[in-house]
Amino acid sequence: MFEIEKTFSFEAGHTLTHHDGKCKNPHGHSYVLKIALRKKALEPSGPKKGMVMDFGGISAHVKPMIEKYLDHAWLNTTLETETPTAEFIAEWIFKHLEKKLPGLYKVTIFETATSSASYCVS
Ligand SMILES: [Zn+2]
């Protein structure tokens, strides 16, 4: 099994409406997003020979999504939820990308350098 991972980042604001602490106050994060793909076999021929997927091909799908829904966005609005937790964002991104990125295995969102949540194939 092969696994590749590409890292992206975006700045966004949110509030966790039901939180019992300071996360209910409007605030922002410098999010880090990691996209992982797994495949058993590499591309057998052509310009992508020997790859799981061209890293540029991942960016071609992820960057437009970041621009439209995530970067400098208010996530409660763009993701249409009262609770845009890291877990929710990871699942939302996974479902947004799963048909576009064959082999998509795991989406991880870092809210801070030490706090992350992932959604992955079960
Ligand atoms: Zn937060």
Side-chain angles (χ1 to χ4, degrees), residues 14 16 23 27-29 31 84 111:
H14 73 169
L16 302 182
C23 289
H27 64 283
H29 295 282
Y31 289 96
E111 264 190 0

Side-chain angles (χ1 to χ4, degrees), residues 15-98:
T15 178
L16 302 182
T17 310
H18 307 289
H19 195 257
D20 56 358
K22 60 185 180 180
C23 289
K24 70 174 182 282
N25 298 327
H27 64 283
H29 295 282
S30 295
Y31 289 96
V32 172
L33 164 63
K34 292 180 181 283
I35 304 288
L37 275 63
R38 282 188 178 181
K39 282 188 184 167
K40 287 188 174 154
L42 302 176
E43 290 294 326
S45 61
K48 314 301 183 195
K49 181 174 177 165
M51 297 179 179
V52 170
M53 184 175 183
D54 193 330
F55 289 114
I58 299 175
S59 297
H61 291 294
V62 173
K63 285 186 174 176
M65 174 196 71
I66 288 174
E67 281 299 309
K68 185 170 182 184
Y69 297 103
L70 302 172
D71 191 39
H72 290 72
W74 184 248
L75 299 176
N76 299 67
T77 301
T78 58
L79 304 187
E80 300 179 333
T81 179
E82 292 182 330
T83 51
T85 57
E87 293 89 333
F88 180 93
I89 299 165
E91 180 186 26
W92 187 95
I93 291 172
F94 189 99
K95 292 187 169 169
H96 187 83
L97 293 174
E98 64 181 338

